[in-house]
Amino acid sequence: MTFGPLNLLAMNTTKWLLVASLLLGFTLPPVTLTLQPERLPFSATEYTLTIVTDQRPAKTNIGAWFTAPKQPAQVGDLAGGAATAMLSFIRQNLRQKPGQRPVALRLLACKITEKATGNRIEGTFTFAVGFDLLNDADGGTANKRLTEFKTGATYTRPIGQTAVVESVVRQSLVAALTYFDQYMNREVKQDERLARSLRVVFTDYVRNQDNDTVFYDRTRPLTWGDFKAKPRADTRYAAEVNPNFAYEGRSRVVNGVIELLLTLKVYTLKSGSWTTPPALNAYSLNHEQRHFDIAKIEAERFKRRIIPDSLSLEDYNSNVQFKFIESFRTMNLRQQQYDDETNHGIDQTAQERWNQRIEGELRALGVQ
């Protein structure tokens, strides 16, 4: 009988502490969940999940749940914080092949909400994550957003059984990792963002038709019939041709390799070329043909500047455009040099030197 009051006090300690906490404005310490081990039934062969970042608006907890009868729901969190706990789970349970594409997981939503209905607890869980390809494996800034995964769950449990809370969180994370692994295995061969190498394929456009454009073709040199424009009145020269080159491009991904398909067009317009009767001879036509040849030479040199090692996977279009502008500028400078040194073909000795020089360059570039 002596110990009765003490036993009664011990039995009611939790109750009185709760009442005192409420009266004094104190809050109960948060409860924590530890994600249980669960070996994932697949291996990450195309990527390595290196970091987890918490991008939820509120990062202090993952919600509140009931832990004992006649007590309010308690605020809780994953042990060590959500991001740390999930990264630890990934490292312990996902087999990853070293040296693969570094990926970050962004935690966008992770929220448990429960309400008591008699002796039963009804809970809801919302979960969302995003996956980003990183610049480097050391947790650099996100380079490319890849995909997102969202899920949710509802459950009913006895008030004293809290294991289901951990299970719901863990299974949602497992579902996200499974989804992403399937996504990567599917997309790695067809998504340009995931390509790890690049191949350039050039095609020369030489289809000449009976229209205004003459495309460069060694078997189809210029004729005086290609000079259709009205002669200029403000020049002392007897003929003029204005060759150019351009490219059209598209890309595709074949087995994880970007194939950059470029069609090169070296051309001149009949409506932009003119002549006068004094120039209608083979010598003058040869001078104009050499302008066309120079355009071809610089176009071929442009091709050789477009090698995979000189292009970035992230911005190869801009790389090609920059090299094209450089080559086009070089072509214009060489056209001017050619006219200056030959005095527009009047200096026959200089013209012959350029004839030999141009022929040699064409042979060296494989232009047949």
Side-chain angles (χ1 to χ4, degrees), residues 122-262:
E122 295 179 356
T124 61
F125 180 62
T126 57
F127 185 72
V129 294
F131 296 91
D132 297 343
L133 188 66
L134 295 175
N135 281 323
D136 55 69
D138 298 324
T141 57
N143 185 24
K144 301 165 186 172
R145 295 283 172 91
L146 294 178
T147 187
E148 292 186 355
F149 174 85
K150 298 179 181 179
T151 190
T154 60
Y155 58 88
T156 302
R157 66 176 179 86
I159 196 168
Q161 297 182 11
T162 59
V164 68
V165 179
E166 181 277 333
S167 178
V168 166
V169 177
R170 173 167 42 86
Q171 291 306 313
S172 296
L173 177 58
V174 169
L177 297 174
T178 303
Y179 160 81
F180 182 66
D181 186 74
Q182 294 171 348
Y183 168 89
M184 288 293 288
N185 290 335
R186 181 182 68 250
E187 295 297 322
V188 71
K189 292 184 178 182
Q190 61 189 27
D191 191 329
E192 187 171 299
R193 297 171 300 174
L194 300 173
R196 306 187 81 166
S197 61
L198 184 147
R199 187 166 75 94
V200 182
V201 180
F202 265 106
T203 302
D204 290 314
Y205 190 93
V206 294
R207 256 189 351 179
N208 277 299
Q209 301 173 349
D210 188 17
N211 54 29
D212 188 46
T213 305
V214 179
F215 293 101
Y216 189 94
D217 183 349
R218 286 283 275 177
T219 65
R220 197 278 190 204
L222 292 176
T223 69
W224 285 124
D226 298 325
F227 293 70
K228 299 290 189 181
K230 182 179 178 180
R232 289 170 50 186
D234 60 345
T235 180
R236 62 185 179 87
Y237 303 114
E240 183 175 282
V241 68
N242 290 288
N244 285 287
F245 74 92
Y247 73 92
E248 295 177 353
R250 63 185 181 91
S251 63
R252 64 187 180 186
V253 181
V254 179
N255 293 325
V257 177
I258 297 174
E259 286 192 349
L260 182 56
L261 308 176
L262 300 176

